[in-house]
Amino acid sequence: MNLKELYQEIILDHGKNPRNLRKSENFNKDAKGHNPLCGDNVHIFLKLDEKKKIEDISFEGSGCAISMASASIMTELLNGKNESQTKEIINDFLEMIKNKDKLDNDNLNENEKTKLMSLSGVKQYPMRVKCATLAWHTLTSAVNDSQEDLNIEKI
Ligand code: FES
């Protein structure tokens, strides 16, 4: 299997069987986001401990395979991460998806980076970049306690 096939397989797997598609019990941060062009939406739930480490992260919503896969991979990789690790991973992902060939942060192992890089193919399609980044920008809103329903078109 070549890298492209591996990436497709990861997206298909997470798109069809999204991980953490549920609402976290006792969440203490959350945020909503949507894409007005297609109507897809996501609601992110975070349960942070007293040191702001992610004890649980989950999401609800509906969307295309890319947006669901991205939210699924995101929640899987960020569970257990502390605040600074979370911010570094978010920034690294958002930079990679727009204009970098690889991920640069040390908070993910190679296997985790491969999962995240499976979304790198959307780079050439601006509309698909919105799909891949919806959950991530919405997570940033949750971390920052933004009460607004994030509109991915405005980003
Ligand atoms: Fe709506 Fe992908 S088509 S988020």
Side-chain angles (χ1 to χ4, degrees):
M1 188 186 289
N2 65 32
L3 199 56
K4 197 174 167 198
E5 288 167 341
L6 174 64
Y7 285 172
Q8 278 174 353
E9 191 166 281
I10 294 169
I11 292 175
L12 271 177
D13 175 32
H14 279 266
K16 278 190 187 158
N17 305 298
R19 321 301 196 264
N20 305 306
L21 182 59
R22 55 183 171 77
K23 187 175 184 174
S24 301
E25 277 180 33
N26 305 322
F27 64 90
N28 43 24
K29 283 184 186 277
D30 73 307
K32 291 181 181 172
H34 69 284
N35 184 342
L37 294 183
C38 58
D40 292 345
N41 61 85
V42 69
H43 192 167
I44 306 282
F45 303 95
L46 281 173
K47 181 165 178 0
L48 303 181
D49 69 11
E50 63 284 354
K51 289 183 178 157
K52 296 195 175 173
K53 189 175 129 185
I54 298 180
E55 250 178 38
D56 192 37
I57 174 169
S58 61
F59 73 105
E60 288 182 335
S62 60
C64 62
I66 298 282
S67 69
M68 295 301 276
S70 185
S72 171
I73 294 169
M74 179 187 84
T75 56
E76 195 174 66
L77 300 190
L78 292 182
N79 224 338
K81 299 287 189 285
N82 66 30
E83 190 179 25
S84 68
Q85 291 171 326
T86 300
K87 286 183 176 168
E88 279 176 36
I89 294 169
I90 293 173
N91 289 339
D92 197 20
F93 173 75
L94 292 177
E95 280 176 26
M96 181 280 287
I97 211 78
K98 283 180 193 147
N99 53 28
K100 269 196 329 192
D101 291 337
K102 58 183 179 67
L103 297 161
D104 286 329
N105 78 86
D106 298 326
N107 302 303
L108 299 173
N109 63 35
E110 287 310 311
N111 188 24
E112 291 171 325
K113 284 184 181 172
T114 301
K115 276 189 196 163
L116 209 40
M117 286 301 291
S118 71
L119 295 157
S120 60
V122 306
K123 244 190 217 92
Q124 353 172 9
Y125 311 101
M127 292 296 298
R128 298 265 109 187
V129 168
K130 304 272 181 197
C131 305
T133 57
L134 175 61
W136 295 76
H137 286 298
T138 306
L139 172 63
T140 301
S141 291
V143 169
N144 294 336
D145 290 318
S146 168
Q147 302 299 317
E148 274 184 42
D149 189 338
L150 178 127
N151 179 349
I152 193 74
E153 267 306 294
K154 292 190 175 162
I155 289 176

